[in-house]
Amino acid sequence: MLGVHFAITTEQERSLLAADDDGDKVREFLEDIEESWDDDASKVDTDKAWDAIHRCLTDGTLDPDGGVYPLSHAVLGGRHLDDDYYVVYVSAAEVRDVAEALRTVDRTWLRCRFDAVDYHDYDGAQDDEDFEYTWRNFVDVQAFYDRAAAAERAVIFTAT
């Protein structure tokens, strides 16, 4: 699954939350956003690195409830809006908290967490090259959350 974070406008946020009880409407909303998105500063693609990033920032698993807020909300934590795909909503107030927490994460800390992930539960190579891939994508997520927080935007993470 490929992961993408979007910093959505207040209008988009209202539309998304209005569709919350209807998976078809949520997926239609996402399709519209993905097709029309033209603001690269308000989007970050994490390819498959979102998996390792979430594990490193939480309890080493893909459990959306794993780990401690606010780091747990950087990828899979937050309000889940679809039963078939990861569509995770993080409010603008939570985005500020996540951005602040992500600023405290450095390369050494992330590497230590990366090395602690259970090999049996993680599909990545978990070698130096995999860590570098994870680190580069993490830095992009870190910068993305800073921009989203400065713009006072909510964030949605999708993985399909």
Side-chain angles (χ1 to χ4, degrees):
M1 287 199 264
L2 304 179
V4 182
H5 286 78
F6 295 95
I8 57 176
T9 66
T10 303
E11 182 180 317
Q12 290 167 326
E13 180 181 18
R14 277 193 295 270
S15 295
L16 176 64
L17 295 178
D20 180 19
D21 291 333
D22 186 333
D24 290 335
K25 286 184 181 179
V26 168
R27 285 186 290 280
E28 184 179 309
F29 172 84
L30 286 177
E31 190 175 302
D32 289 346
I33 280 187
E34 289 169 353
E35 288 177 4
S36 65
W37 203 268
D38 62 356
D39 180 8
D40 287 341
S42 297
K43 172 185 170 193
V44 66
D45 293 301
T46 52
D47 194 41
K48 295 179 182 177
W50 65 268
D51 180 313
I53 292 168
H54 178 77
R55 290 171 189 275
C56 291
L57 296 177
T58 62
D59 62 358
T61 71
L62 285 184
D63 181 356
D65 296 322
V68 178
Y69 178 85
L71 287 177
S72 63
H73 279 51
V75 182
L76 293 181
R79 183 173 168 185
H80 288 250
L81 303 176
D82 193 288
D83 293 331
D84 297 325
Y85 302 100
Y86 287 122
V87 180
V88 185
Y89 163 79
V90 179
S91 72
E94 292 168 325
V95 166
R96 285 190 300 277
D97 293 344
V98 171
E100 184 176 329
L102 289 176
R103 283 185 221 114
T104 69
V105 175
D106 65 15
R107 182 184 182 88
T108 302
W109 185 91
L110 197 73
R111 181 63 195 236
C112 183
R113 301 292 295 222
F114 180 85
D115 289 341
V117 170
D118 184 358
Y119 283 101
H120 295 75
D121 189 39
Y122 174 61
D123 290 334
Q126 205 165 14
D127 57 13
D128 289 341
E129 186 177 329
D130 190 26
F131 175 73
E132 290 303 322
Y133 169 75
T134 301
W135 174 252
R136 282 190 311 273
N137 279 279
F138 170 76
V139 169
D140 290 345
V141 169
Q142 201 175 35
F144 165 82
Y145 267 99
D146 277 340
R147 291 188 306 271
E152 299 181 2
R153 289 191 173 192
V155 166
I156 55 171
F157 169 76
T158 66
T160 54

